[in-house]
Amino acid sequence: MNYLAIVGTNSEVSTNRMLLQFMQEHFKAAAQLELYEIKDLPAFYEAEDDQVPQEVEALSAKILQADGVIIATPEYDHAIPAVLKSALEWISYTSQALTDKPVLIVGASHGALGSSRAQAHLRQILDSPELAARIMPSSEFLLGKSQAAFNASGTLIYEDKLAELDEIFREFVLFTEIITKLLSEKAVIKKDKKFAWQTQKA
């Protein structure tokens, strides 16, 4: 599996980035994770079709090429960061590259709740008609007290959370396989479908 792992913040120092970096190394035998930084994307504005920023086109291409997407979000004022909302607005307004794309949401925060409200907010956004991502159900990974969660080498040291992350990632790989198979079969059915007027004899 090839996953695009989006760092959902423009902060230079982030435990959400550390979480994705750990996942990239920890799960390298099962999947390839490419980290993507949204901090260099311009703020969203209504661009003409031929004036979409190159950075946005590059992000869309990466999403389309990936088997699935992992988004790590912090929580700012009970919601996702504005920079992440802006990135999703670009995708919604232009390529709609997240449509039917398997998505796993994870999040880390300095507090005890581990970005739970931001993750709920993100699920609502990804479920909107213009994004329509395939979000893995019942799969919250909430890393609270994240400032103490990693050692000097970037390893997640909370054993209970590591076991939880292992299980969620295993399920996400399976979820990706199921969604990929579902969409391929759906495409075949759609291709072979005939309307009544096409099958009637004159």
Side-chain angles (χ1 to χ4, degrees), residues 41-47 82 85-94:
L41 289 176
F44 174 74
Y45 60 90
E46 292 189 8
K85 181 65 164 61
S86 177
L88 294 173
E89 285 168 350
W90 273 122
I91 298 302
S92 171
Y93 186 81
T94 59

Side-chain angles (χ1 to χ4, degrees), residues 95-163:
S95 66
Q96 298 185 345
L98 280 166
T99 299
D100 284 332
K101 188 67 63 173
V103 174
L104 173 65
I105 301 172
V106 298
S109 73
H110 297 172
L113 297 180
S115 79
S116 60
R117 288 164 294 201
Q119 290 195 33
H121 182 216
L122 182 53
R123 282 180 177 272
Q124 284 186 308
I125 295 169
L126 290 171
D127 199 37
S128 65
E130 292 78 12
L131 289 171
R134 299 275 183 156
I135 313 160
M136 192 168 86
S138 304
S139 60
E140 288 184 325
F141 180 74
L142 309 171
L143 183 61
K145 300 180 180 179
S146 59
Q147 285 178 306
F150 302 95
N151 63 18
S153 62
T155 300
L156 180 61
I157 59 174
Y158 295 162
E159 292 186 4
D160 58 334
K161 283 297 176 181
L162 179 55

Side-chain angles (χ1 to χ4, degrees), residues 176-186:
T176 305
E177 293 173 351
I178 292 171
I179 293 298
T180 301
K181 187 173 186 295
L182 172 68
L183 294 175
S184 64
E185 292 182 357
K186 181 180 176 182

Side-chain angles (χ1 to χ4, degrees), residues 10-26:
N10 56 2
S11 175
E12 293 295 334
V13 179
S14 170
T15 52
N16 282 278
R17 183 181 293 107
M18 293 176 69
L19 174 58
L20 291 180
Q21 288 171 337
F22 170 74
M23 291 175 66
Q24 184 181 45
E25 176 65 23
H26 185 65

